[in-house]
Amino acid sequence: MNFDQLKEQWNNEDGNVNIPDNIEQLKESKHPIEKIQKSMKKEFPMQVIAIILIGLFPFQLGFPASQYIIYYISYTMMVVISTYYLYGFYKFYKQTELYTGNTKNSLWKIYHELRLNMERYQSFGFLLLPHFLVTIGLAIYNVLEKKGKNLSELTNANQAALIIAVLIGTLSVVVSVILWTKYIYGRQAKQLENILNEMDE
């Protein structure tokens, strides 16, 4: 006999004993967790492929061989950071697979792990910024070199424009990472939070 049948029988008995809907709310929470799993399944291979493709930038952007050492030192640091993040990402995915939805405590644990994973996701995006700044710096240097110039020959107006462009680019990346995180996981986190709040009432 399952829980639904048991509840129905008890509700039909004299005295109208009502069972709280907490178990039903826990069952509902499976749906946002399944959405999280689907998002993570799609995103994990995309992130791995993106990291591999970033390693090919020097060839795509035509960097001279003398700059490979600068680029690949930065790239190696990015790969180390990415590996740490992807390992945490994989561990969280495995935790969601183990979730059965039968206790409130397990739902709280998943909710807090999701929030932690969202913070980790954003931190990971921010930590990629230095590598992209190195890449952009090398690209700008190469463009100037082809024109027979260097950074010291830039006018004050051009230097100011370059600094502003870097600041705007950095802020754009930060805002994009935050919005992307909320877009992928924010709705599911809010659904889980609402279910938990309802259970506390």
Side-chain angles (χ1 to χ4, degrees):
M1 181 180 292
N2 64 30
F3 180 82
D4 296 324
Q5 291 171 328
L6 188 61
K7 181 179 176 180
E8 189 179 341
Q9 282 185 7
W10 282 353
N11 284 340
N12 289 335
E13 287 179 2
D14 293 335
N16 291 323
V17 179
N18 288 315
I19 298 171
D21 289 329
N22 286 359
I23 299 297
E24 287 306 313
Q25 290 167 331
L26 285 168
K27 286 178 184 176
E28 284 174 21
S29 70
K30 188 72 176 172
H31 185 55
I33 291 169
E34 284 169 356
K35 283 183 180 177
I36 292 164
Q37 288 172 334
K38 283 179 185 175
S39 295
M40 292 180 83
K41 265 186 183 177
K42 289 177 187 174
E43 206 172 357
F44 188 83
M46 284 171 57
Q47 288 182 1
V48 172
I49 291 166
I51 290 165
I52 292 166
L53 291 176
I54 289 168
L56 303 175
F57 276 10
F59 308 105
Q60 294 168 333
L61 299 174
F63 287 178
S66 61
Q67 291 180 349
Y68 287 2
I69 186 69
I70 298 169
Y71 183 86
Y72 283 109
I73 286 172
S74 176
Y75 178 73
T76 301
M77 291 171 65
M78 190 198 77
V79 169
V80 170
I81 292 167
S82 301
T83 303
Y84 172 75
Y85 163 74
L86 290 171
Y87 175 68
F89 188 89
Y90 177 75
K91 273 178 67 179
F92 175 64
Y93 176 77
K94 284 297 179 186
Q95 279 184 314
T96 63
E97 283 188 329
L98 296 173
Y99 173 72
T100 56
N102 56 359
T103 66
K104 183 180 173 183
N105 285 341
S106 66
L107 184 58
W108 266 115
K109 187 175 179 183
I110 287 291
Y111 172 74
H112 287 299
E113 285 295 325
L114 173 59
R115 284 293 183 189
L116 182 63
N117 198 62
M118 287 171 69
E119 290 295 325
R120 193 184 296 128
Y121 188 97
Q122 289 178 358
S123 299
F124 172 62
F126 303 151
L127 287 169
L128 297 181
L129 272 171
H131 176 71
F132 287 114
L133 289 174
V134 167
T135 305
I136 292 165
L138 290 173
I140 291 169
Y141 177 83
N142 289 330
V143 168
L144 289 173
E145 195 174 56
K146 283 176 185 174
K147 292 180 178 179
K149 297 180 179 180
N150 58 50
L151 289 171
S152 63
E153 292 177 22
L154 288 176
T155 64
N156 288 339
N158 285 339
Q159 287 178 10
L162 183 60
I163 291 167
I164 290 168
V166 169
L167 283 172
I168 291 171
T170 302
L171 285 172
S172 299
V173 170
V174 168
V175 170
S176 298
V177 168
I178 292 168
L179 292 177
W180 181 250
T181 306
K182 286 184 178 178
Y183 173 74
I184 294 182
Y185 301 113
R187 285 174 292 181
Q188 287 77 26
K190 192 67 182 170
Q191 281 179 309
L192 291 176
E193 186 180 1
N194 289 341
I195 291 166
L196 287 163
N197 287 338
E198 285 173 20
M199 290 168 66
D200 284 337
E201 289 174 0

